[in-house]
Amino acid sequence: MFKSLTRTAIRYNSTVAKTAPRALSNAYIGNLESRWTSLPKEDQQSLIEELKVRQELPWQELTPAEKKAAYYISFGEWGPRKPLYGPGEQSKVFWGTAGLIVLSAVLFFGIKQLAPPQPHTLNREWQEASDEYLKSKNANPFSGYSQVQ
């Protein structure tokens, strides 16, 4: 009628050592920085998975080549972290931009020299005379002419 309840102990995150997968060969992960972009996507994914399994072990059990490969895969200059400009391209961008600015300034002043002269109503004396005339007529530049009553 009554069943005896037995509890089974389940140990999560056990401290029992896991069976260590074999270390990856230095030929497989060596010089990864120069070979990574030329590897096929399947090989990249398999290498990432194998290193992930190896990283579950204590960090001291990883070889220096595995540590270096794991660091490059996690933080290396590939994928979204690839630099926008390669070596020497920044100077090309700088000199191209500087050249375009100089070219636009030369073009601006060249067109300005070829343009007809300014109308005589834009000189300083004409502007001062028109200001005096408007003051004598009680002109208000914000609300129009003021009416003196």
Side-chain angles (χ1 to χ4, degrees), residues 111-127:
I111 291 173
K112 191 174 178 182
Q113 290 297 322
L114 296 175
Q118 291 182 340
H120 66 282
T121 58
L122 288 180
N123 63 18
R124 185 175 193 88
E125 294 82 21
W126 186 279
Q127 292 294 324

Side-chain angles (χ1 to χ4, degrees), residues 47-64:
L47 183 59
I48 289 171
E49 292 301 321
E50 290 175 19
L51 276 173
K52 190 184 293 185
V53 170
R54 286 287 295 165
Q55 288 177 15
E56 292 175 357
L57 299 173
W59 191 249
Q60 294 81 12
E61 292 183 21
L62 294 174
T63 64

